[in-house]
Amino acid sequence: MAVTKKSKPSTYFSLGADIHDTKAPAGPIDKKWQARQLQAKLVNPANRRKLTVIIVGTGLAGAAAGATLGEAGYNVHSFCYQDSPRRAHSIAAQGGINAAKNYRNDNDSVHRLFYDTVKGGDYRARETNVYRLAEISAGIIDQCVAQGVPFAREYGGLLDTRSFGGVQVQRTFYARGQTGQQLLIGAYQALERQVAAGTVTMHSRHDMMEVIVHNGKARGIVTRDLISGKIEAWYADAVVLASGGYGNVFFLSTNAMGSNVTAAWRAHRKGAYMANPCYTQIHPTCIPVQGDHQSKLTLMSESLRNDGRIWVPKDPADAEKDPRQIPEEDRDYYLERIYPSFGNLVPRDIASRQAKYMCDDGRGVGPLISEVTQEGVSQQRRRGVYLDFADAIARLGKAAVEKLYGNLFDMYAQITGEDPYATPMRIYPAVHYVMGGLWVDYDLMSSIPGLYVAGEANFSDHGANRLGASALMQGLGDGYFVLPNTINDYLADGPFEKIDDATPAAVEALEAAKARVDRLLAVDGTRTVDSFHREVGAIMWEYCGMERTEEGLQIAIEKIRALREEFWTNVKVPGTGVDFNQALERAGRVIDFIDLAELMCIDALNRRESCGGHFRRESQTEDGEALRHDDEFAYVAAWEYAGDGEAPILHMEPLNYEAIELKQRSYK
Amino acid sequence: MKITLKVWRQANKDAKGSMKTYRLDDVSEDMSFLEMLDMLNEDLTTKGGEPVAFDSDCREGICGMCGVVIKGSAHGRYESPIATTTCQLHMRYFADGAVIEVEPWRAGAFPVVKDLVVDRSAFDRIIQAGGFISANTGSAPEAHSTPAPKHLADRAFDNACCIGCGACVAACPNGSGMLFTAAKITHLANLPQGQPERHSRVKAMVAAHDGVGFGGCQNVGECAAVCPKKVPLESIAQLNRDLFASLFKSV
Ligand SMILES: Cc1cc2nc3c(=O)[nH]c(=O)nc-3n(C[C@H](O)[C@H](O)[C@H](O)COP(=O)(O)OP(=O)(O)OC[C@H]3O[C@@H](n4cnc5c(N)ncnc54)[C@H](O)[C@@H]3O)c2cc1C
Ligand code: FES
């Protein structure tokens, strides 16, 4: 369908030419991937070891890609900031991984998984990429089982599956509440096997600081060795970024302490477009904030929504009552009431926003939290709703509930000091995942030739909202099956001309990295790095969180700009650059978050519609649901960096739906 | 709460370290142990001091990045009523006025990098020796072609849940990494897919374990006692059985 361009350049950005994916072949959607695999140029196995690929990140996407490219015989250099590749934040995923296996005989199919993902993404994803993801999903499970991933099994020895938020089939494979851990350990072991085989060289505790772009092609990276502080360049024929998501821009999120945007942001500054940065997923089932000292939020897998029932007291006066003393008729099971056919299993964005509304309405539970509203009013609100297992325990027995969710219940008890078997849990939404990320084409190549982006770091498959259990599928899909079949098309033209530390592009990148470290240390102000991180996080949560407005976003942009000023004049980074210096690591990440935050707000400001995780107060239906404007906004917003202090440039990629009809989402 | 901390400070791997004393007056019971250390670091930074280096990432007990010895026990296991990682240990388990010693993992195979941070790459080298199933991408058969008995899959899981934090090594008087090694052996040995390499794996991993500087196992059992994921001590018996059996196989 045609997009009429209503996005006018403003003082915040300027408008560039449209962009398009040029790699997905023409033809029916179910033949495209096969056709692309046939078309892609191949690299002779004997030539592969002469080709070097750098992979930044060892999460599901990076470890899977590293192992697979290593097996294929390429010379792989793999980087992560943790002390071991096994610790990438994919490890924290709990709930499960989707695959269109139809083991349940419940009418599941590739097409249904494709349809659910596009619909779940509120029709803001690129159809071709999503179809391919659904197509390769079944092979991911086969691969993981072959590696020894201990998925949950039934007594007959076959794999068990369950249903997960937003869908009506049982296609989610899981490993107790630790699916991400088991999948990652599988990929990590495959990666270590290649380290032993000599095809992969692992560089742990290395922070990527710059991309080296020579003659228009990505040819390497600059890293800082986190132990010695040594800044060093690495060269390759292609670079893959699999550096995860940037949810930590909100300070409080379910991401790891070190999760960052730096790798992606540095690439963005070198010419990689950043797509849909404002699409953030706020997960409905997290443990609520307890106090000011909190460093992160903890997710409770949304598989809990299969058996737990969500409610708040009908009367705000009951907020402090023992929930067990509140009779049925005084409880509002609001999701079951508003969405009778999906009930507690509505998609994440809907579940999150409804929880916010209940608490805005004064019916939240738990401790009072001080906050400042978008209108600048200081207030105290309870930010929590109940997730109640009393019915499930009565129906299935405590032992069965313990078997299904035991580790989650333990985690809850450990953090809150309350016993969830006896009293309902309290939950509240928290930032969890970003659908936005670097723009890539069908081959997963960014707008910089030779720079590929995989996993959560790209924007590829989830549109404006991601369905549960789809990120693990995408990360492994990208790493095991997509990249290894597309990157050869590019590498077939290599090896490229040799470059080294004297090549101007490398000199420039090395100097930029060194200058940045010096600049961060030189400010020597009075405020800690963390205090800046908390402040940018608070701005983003209030103005660019679950509900966004024209006015609020403009205020946010002003606040962010002022914060950046203050950062560069008043941050205090103790220690030196030639040492293990964690404050310095964080300082680099925080300033990139501040820069990203501004772009996120500009993107959110431009998108004057509500879609998926992006809810604009001005754009809702009469009953308060997200209202899309397909005539104006059925496009991917791909942002080009235009220089420090310059307005970014918006490139639009129109979204064409051929296999699926655009519909207003409804879960009623 | 008021807390007195005695923290191991060591500038780098070659420097001599020592315990330094710090006081915090405003610790909340709801803080995690690491949030308490964050507070100390904010305080040190604003006063012009150098913050204490310590590792953490997920802060939800699953990545295995955190880990320090607290009042003499790995992850503060003996301060907590349940198995825990350092990041999941909460201040509510300490008394107001408590004096808490905080030290890095101490083991020959885990040299100190700085303060409370150690180098655990020896674990990766044990995995490289054989802690995997050789299954190249794309070569996998349909997942249901080989059913795995549930009780064995469950046992595999009970070992696969190891997070590689190194508490077992830190707690062992011999600095042995046998529980870590046994967890991987037992995980893979209980799955049908793990059988072809079962005997070569155990030999290679045990040899790597000894080669990278871990001490021998004398069945003290402290490792399993502090394990945040409750990897069972019996797994070491499984390792020994497999190792014995492998002696009679030409692998
Ligand atoms: C708590 C939680 C639960 C989740 N549960 C589910 C679930 O049940 N199902 C599901 O499908 N999805 C889930 N997700 C989402 C999913 O886990 C992630 O989107 C996915 O694992 C991301 O994988 P990745 O490989 O892209 O990145 P990550 O696993 O985050 O890995 C990033 C890698 O990049 C490296 N890196 C980053 N920056 C740099 C740098 N500057 N220099 C060097 N290296 C760098 C890191 O060291 C790391 O190795 C969950 C996410 C969270 C946070
Ligand atoms: S920080 Fe990940 S286990 Fe503690």
Side-chain angles (χ1 to χ4, degrees), chain A residues 56-62 79-82 85 88-90 92-97 164 206-208 242-245 254-255 260 262-263 299 348 432-433 454-457 466 468-473, chain B residues 60:
Chain A
V56 181
T58 57
L60 292 185
F79 295 82
C80 70
Y81 69 74
Q82 295 92 344
H89 200 51
S90 292
Q94 301 168 352
I97 175 166
F164 222 61
H206 275 68
D207 216 1
M208 174 193 142
S243 48
T254 65
N255 283 1
N260 66 88
T262 293
L299 176 96
R348 294 174 173 177
H432 169 58
Y433 181 86
E456 190 173 340
R466 175 175 70 75
S470 292
L472 300 183
M473 169 173 73
Chain B
E60 48 187 85

Side-chain angles (χ1 to χ4, degrees), chain A residues 309-311 313 319 321 323 365 384-388 424-427:
Chain A
R309 297 178 70 197
I310 295 175
W311 62 277
K321 249 197 198 159
V365 295
V385 301
Y386 289 125
L387 175 63
D388 198 334
M425 299 185 187
R426 284 176 295 109
I427 55 166

Side-chain angles (χ1 to χ4, degrees), chain A residues 55-63 79-82 84-98 164 172 179-180 183-184 202-203 205-209 221 223 241-245 253-256 258-264 281 283 296-302 348 431-434 454-458 462 466-476 478 589, chain B residues 57 60:
Chain A
I55 303 179
V56 181
T58 57
L60 292 185
F79 295 82
C80 70
Y81 69 74
Q82 295 92 344
S84 164
R86 66 180 290 151
R87 309 203 199 282
H89 200 51
S90 292
I91 201 113
Q94 301 168 352
I97 175 166
N98 288 329
F164 222 61
T172 304
T179 315
L183 296 175
L184 183 64
M202 187 64 226
H203 308 270
R205 291 208 202 261
H206 275 68
D207 216 1
M208 174 193 142
M209 299 187 72
I221 60 170
T223 60
L241 296 187
S243 48
S253 82
T254 65
N255 283 1
S259 296
N260 66 88
V261 75
T262 293
Q281 181 162 83
H283 195 289
K296 75 155 275 157
L297 294 171
T298 303
L299 176 96
M300 308 285 291
S301 166
E302 77 182 323
R348 294 174 173 177
V431 172
H432 169 58
Y433 181 86
V434 291
E456 190 173 340
N458 73 28
H462 308 293
R466 175 175 70 75
L467 286 186
S470 292
L472 300 183
M473 169 173 73
Q474 183 224 330
L476 288 180
D478 284 359
R589 291 175 187 151
Chain B
D57 204 33
E60 48 187 85

Side-chain angles (χ1 to χ4, degrees), chain A residues 447-511:
Chain A
S447 51
I448 302 177
L451 181 74
Y452 289 77
V453 191
E456 190 173 340
N458 73 28
F459 88 111
S460 170
D461 295 347
H462 308 293
N465 175 54
R466 175 175 70 75
L467 286 186
S470 292
L472 300 183
M473 169 173 73
Q474 183 224 330
L476 288 180
D478 284 359
Y480 284 134
F481 297 113
V482 181
L483 257 183
N485 282 291
T486 57
I487 201 167
N488 38 293
D489 185 64
Y490 179 83
L491 290 172
D493 293 332
F496 299 109
E497 94 190 74
K498 210 177 137 27
I499 62 171
D500 58 27
D501 286 3
T503 309
V507 172
E508 183 272 332
L510 278 163
E511 274 174 7

Side-chain angles (χ1 to χ4, degrees), chain A residues 348-367:
Chain A
R348 294 174 173 177
D349 54 322
I350 295 179
S352 292
R353 211 166 49 249
Q354 288 298 345
K356 171 178 168 18
Y357 291 157
M358 296 303 136
C359 298
D360 287 350
D361 197 30
R363 295 197 284 146
V365 295

Side-chain angles (χ1 to χ4, degrees), chain A residues 103 188-189 192 415 528, chain B residues 42 92 124 128 142 184:
Chain A
Y103 281 165
Y188 155 76
Q189 289 170 189
E192 293 295 354
I415 293 173
T528 64
Chain B
E42 288 290 281
R92 68 179 76 94
D124 291 331
Q128 283 156 24
E142 152 55 45
K184 190 47 58 194

Side-chain angles (χ1 to χ4, degrees), chain B residues 56-59 61-66 85 87:
Chain B
S56 77
D57 204 33
C58 74
R59 293 210 178 176
I62 195 73
C63 75
M65 185 95 172
C66 67
T85 53
C87 62

